[in-house]
Amino acid sequence: MDLPAEFLTLYSRLDRQGPGLSGDAIWALERLGLSGPLAVCDAGCGTGADCETLARALPRARIEGVEAVPAFVAAAQPRLADLPNATVRLGDMGALEGPYDLIWSAGAIYFLGVTEGLRAWREALAPGGAVAFSQGVLLSEDEPQAVRDFWAPEPEIITCEGVLDQVSDAGFEVIDSKLLIGAPWAAYYDSLSVQIAALRPGASAAMAEVLDGAEREIALWRQAPERIAYLLVLARPR
Ligand SMILES: C[S@@+](CC[C@H](N)C(=O)[O-])C[C@H]1O[C@@H](n2cnc3c(N)ncnc32)[C@H](O)[C@@H]1O
């Protein structure tokens, strides 16, 4: 993935690279009834926030983060250094080998496409294994312009029902799902705002452009925070 250095400087400083709270992963583990000496992959783990949560919640499990951006891998490694059951590696989440009892993926499957991603991951699941992923969704077919504007960079975004159909098309059964609205987004954009402010003084033109883009995204989210959503889906192969 070829990303500008200024973009990587900003986003590598973040605790995570998309909306989410540690409670989301804990909810998924509880709903899937997962504990013990499992093999878990965090696909598209960014700087490793969920690797950390999963490693603490599952002390007897082995957590492997897989991330395509070297700068994010480099930021994740020191934060996982005190967790002997967690590692992160540079790799392609579209080519996982496994076998994993759980493939967790927050805000990353859209890079592969939901159906394509699930089909690829199916081969990497251990018998009885599950996938948990979050994905941007529209709350209805007829969303206000503010919501359309927010999602403009991702024109393929569809409704919750559409995403659940894609899960089914990939040959998976939905175990449970829940919307992530409000707090996980506020936490993400609060941390992004802090880093924008830290990098703004003396920013180069290229950095200012990246910071301006991030500020525009935050402003768009603030226009409709109650309607901008991720759907967190738990699924197993049928
Ligand atoms: C929106 S970020 C979410 C990061 C992290 N899961 C989180 O919630 O903080 C999506 C991540 O997926 C990674 N990614 C995209 N395509 C990938 C691929 N083919 N293999 C591995 N990682 C990938 C991106 O580099 C990025 O770090």
Side-chain angles (χ1 to χ4, degrees), residues 12-189:
S12 300
R13 294 166 69 120
L14 299 180
D15 186 46
R16 58 184 309 136
Q17 286 64 44
L21 297 173
S22 57
D24 303 336
I26 304 298
W27 175 81
L29 296 178
E30 287 174 358
R31 286 294 295 115
L32 291 167
L34 293 176
S35 62
L38 308 170
V40 178
C41 178
D42 183 351
C45 66
T47 55
D50 293 328
C51 293
E52 195 177 336
T53 298
L54 290 162
R56 291 191 196 286
L58 296 170
R60 291 194 297 142
R62 179 177 56 80
I63 318 298
E64 182 183 41
V66 176
E67 169 55 50
V69 172
F72 294 166
V73 174
Q77 278 165 341
R79 85 188 283 180
L80 301 177
D82 292 340
L83 293 164
N85 59 334
T87 55
V88 59
R89 67 175 172 88
L90 188 64
D92 178 6
M93 67 176 173
L96 298 180
E97 288 186 357
Y100 298 110
D101 301 292
L102 173 67
I103 298 174
W104 165 267
S105 186
I109 198 171
Y110 81 97
F111 285 96
L112 303 176
V114 170
T115 311
E116 297 79 357
L118 289 177
R119 285 189 180 139
W121 292 348
R122 185 185 187 110
E123 306 305 316
L125 285 177
V131 171
F133 71 90
S134 59
Q135 159 79 9
V137 285
L138 298 176
L139 296 182
S140 74
E141 296 283 5
D142 190 24
E143 283 301 292
Q145 190 58 43
V147 175
R148 300 269 171 199
D149 290 346
F150 178 84
W151 288 115
E154 292 173 47
E156 64 288 346
I157 187 167
I158 55 176
T159 61
C160 297
E161 294 72 24
V163 170
L164 297 179
D165 285 348
Q166 290 178 332
V167 174
S168 181
D169 289 347
F172 280 65
E173 172 196 11
V174 175
I175 310 297
D176 205 348
S177 65
K178 74 169 182 170
L179 286 168
L180 308 181
I181 300 177
W185 294 81
Y188 172 59
Y189 285 133

